[in-house]
Amino acid sequence: MSRPALVDVGRRYRLVLITTPIAGLTGLIVLSVLGYPVAGIALCAGLFMGFVNSRMVIAQAAKFTQMENPDKRALTLGVLQRLGVLTAIALLIAFAFRPQGFTVLIGLAAFQLLMMGSTASAMVRQLRG
């Protein structure tokens, strides 16, 4: 992967970090107007959890790449632990505030779609030349 592609991915990641709060606020307003304020808050919580997960992934990757002898098992356990905790929190919110609380899962999915869409488009552009 070339350096310009990495710069483009980084730029697109920052764009996602800017659009995520806008999407959350928009969702909160729309859902509140429709009479589902708890769903709007849960959506924002899901988007925030996606953001936290992405920051943790970056920190873990930076730590892993700086090691002389990286331990793949430790990396795998760290990933499983992080995803397990985030999943437990999301499910706790979903069931505690059901049925509207399940929008926390929609927020998580929306963040992942934003992330994957933005970085994938940068990579496709790079591959096409």
Side-chain angles (χ1 to χ4, degrees):
M1 188 179 317
S2 69
R3 195 75 175 147
L6 290 176
V7 171
D8 193 31
V9 168
R11 190 175 313 122
R12 290 182 177 273
Y13 176 71
R14 285 188 297 277
L15 180 64
V16 169
L17 296 183
I18 293 168
T19 58
T20 298
I22 294 169
L25 185 60
T26 303
L28 178 63
I29 291 169
V30 168
L31 288 169
S32 293
V33 168
L34 293 175
Y36 302 106
V38 174
I41 293 168
L43 177 74
C44 290
L47 288 167
F48 180 72
M49 289 172 58
F51 165 75
V52 169
N53 182 46
S54 73
R55 299 305 297 175
M56 291 172 74
V57 166
I58 291 170
Q60 192 171 26
K63 180 180 168 185
F64 187 73
T65 56
Q66 291 177 354
M67 298 172 136
E68 279 188 33
N69 295 322
D71 183 12
K72 291 181 184 178
R73 181 181 168 119
L75 176 69
T76 302
L77 290 175
V79 168
L80 291 175
Q81 182 181 21
R82 183 185 75 249
L83 291 178
V85 168
L86 287 172
T87 301
I89 293 170
L91 290 175
L92 182 68
I93 292 169
F95 284 105
F97 299 100
R98 70 175 172 254
Q100 295 181 35
F102 282 97
T103 55
V104 72
L105 302 174
I106 294 171
L108 278 166
F111 184 84
Q112 292 304 315
L113 287 173
L114 282 170
M115 284 292 297
M116 296 307 294
S118 69
T119 54
S121 65
M123 291 293 106
V124 167
R125 185 176 301 120
Q126 178 66 25
L127 290 173
R128 288 186 181 169

